[in-house]
């Protein structure tokens, strides 16, 4: 799509001809953990895209993904080499900032209609989703590694306003049951 001052080109990670056909100033790579290992016989599709940026001194690369399998996760590798910034939310009770961690989510796996709560790492108080998400309006990213050039951000699904904790727990329980039956893909 051409527009005054530039263009936007959308290509698939499995199309080596498209990845190598033009210079790229801003590379937006979405869901990189789902990219094939190679674009045909051309090699890593992400590296192919990044090679197209060599003509620009002010290039920008944005790599986004939901992590998949840890051993082969591109986004995990990229995140580990970054500033490793984690979204932190203040506790609705004591105000202590902390990232959402699955282990502190408290729910009844036998009855997900019961309230799903989150336990503060400092004061130990249990608060519901509404209170935590309201407090998240004052949230901010905290970097683990300030001494790197590349910024990396992690945002836990529990912070999302697009899905409820009940949805997350229900999906987890289904995936966990399928995993026990040998289906580890979910």
């Amino acid at each position: 799509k051409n527009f005054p001052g530039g263009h936007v080109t959308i290509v698939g990670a499995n199309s080596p001809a498209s990845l190598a056909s033009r210079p790229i100033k801003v590379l937006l790579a979405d869901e990189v953990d789902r990219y094939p290992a190679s674009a045909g016989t051309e090699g890593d599709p992400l590296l192919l895209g990044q090679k197209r940026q060599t003509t620009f001194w002010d290039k920008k690369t944005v790599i986004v993904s939901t992590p998949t399998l840890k051993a082969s996760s591109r986004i995990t590798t990229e995140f580990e080499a970054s500033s490793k910034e984690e979204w932190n939310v203040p506790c609705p009770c004591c105000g202590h900032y902390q990232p959402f961690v699955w282990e502190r989510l408290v729910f009844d796996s036998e009855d997900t209609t019961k309230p799903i709560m989150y336990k503060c790492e400092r004061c130990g108080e249990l608060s519901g989703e509404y209170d935590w998400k309201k407090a998240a309006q004052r949230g901010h990213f905290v970097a683990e590694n300030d001494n790197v050039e590349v910024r990396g951000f992690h945002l836990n699904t529990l912070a999302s306003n697009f899905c409820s904790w009940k949805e997350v727990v229900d999906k987890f329980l289904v995936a966990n049951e399928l995993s026990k039956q040998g289906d580890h893909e979910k």
Side-chain angles (χ1 to χ4, degrees):
K1 174 78 176 160
N2 292 313
F3 55 86
H7 67 90
V8 173
T9 303
I10 300 172
V11 301
N14 59 350
S15 174
S18 297
L19 290 168
S21 63
R22 64 187 52 85
I24 301 170
K25 184 175 180 178
V26 179
L27 175 64
L28 305 173
D30 192 25
E31 291 301 344
V32 297
D33 269 15
R34 288 165 178 77
Y35 284 14
S38 181
T41 59
E42 302 289 322
D44 185 292
L46 185 57
L47 292 177
L48 289 173
Q50 289 173 315
K51 282 183 185 178
R52 305 308 302 157
Q53 295 184 287
T54 57
T55 56
F56 297 99
W57 66 271
D58 58 347
K59 63 186 175 265
K60 179 74 71 182
T61 304
V62 178
I63 304 169
V64 180
S65 191
T66 301
T68 55
L69 300 175
K70 194 170 190 172
S72 60
S73 174
R74 295 169 191 256
I75 200 66
T76 298
T77 301
E78 295 290 339
F79 185 71
E80 289 299 322
S82 76
S83 58
K84 297 172 71 171
E85 297 180 44
E86 189 79 43
W87 182 248
N88 278 241
V89 176
C91 170
C93 298
C94 72
H96 171 68
Y97 278 83
Q98 60 201 286
F100 283 122
V101 178
W102 179 258
E103 291 76 20
R104 288 198 294 272
L105 196 66
V106 178
F107 59 92
D108 183 339
S109 59
E110 300 299 318
D111 184 2
T112 59
T113 63
K114 291 182 179 176
I116 298 171
M117 308 296 276
Y118 192 84
K119 184 177 183 177
C120 174
E121 70 180 5
R122 177 180 281 168
C123 71
E125 287 293 321
L126 292 173
S127 299
E129 178 178 11
Y130 176 80
D131 293 327
W132 279 99
K133 288 188 176 177
K134 185 175 180 188
Q137 294 173 354
R138 297 184 320 276
H140 61 263
F141 282 98
V142 176
E144 182 180 315
N145 187 4
D146 283 331
N147 302 320
V148 294
E149 227 177 90
V150 176
R151 306 269 316 262
F153 302 92
H154 176 255
L155 184 62
N156 189 306
T157 302
L158 296 175
S160 174
N161 287 322
F162 300 113
C163 60
S164 70
W165 287 357
K166 181 176 179 351
E167 288 176 71
V168 175
V169 167
D170 286 343
K171 287 178 183 177
F172 165 77
L173 293 172
V174 168
N176 196 41
E177 186 57 38
L178 290 171
S179 180
K180 289 176 185 175
Q181 297 171 15
D183 181 357
H184 305 291
E185 291 298 313
K186 300 283 188 295

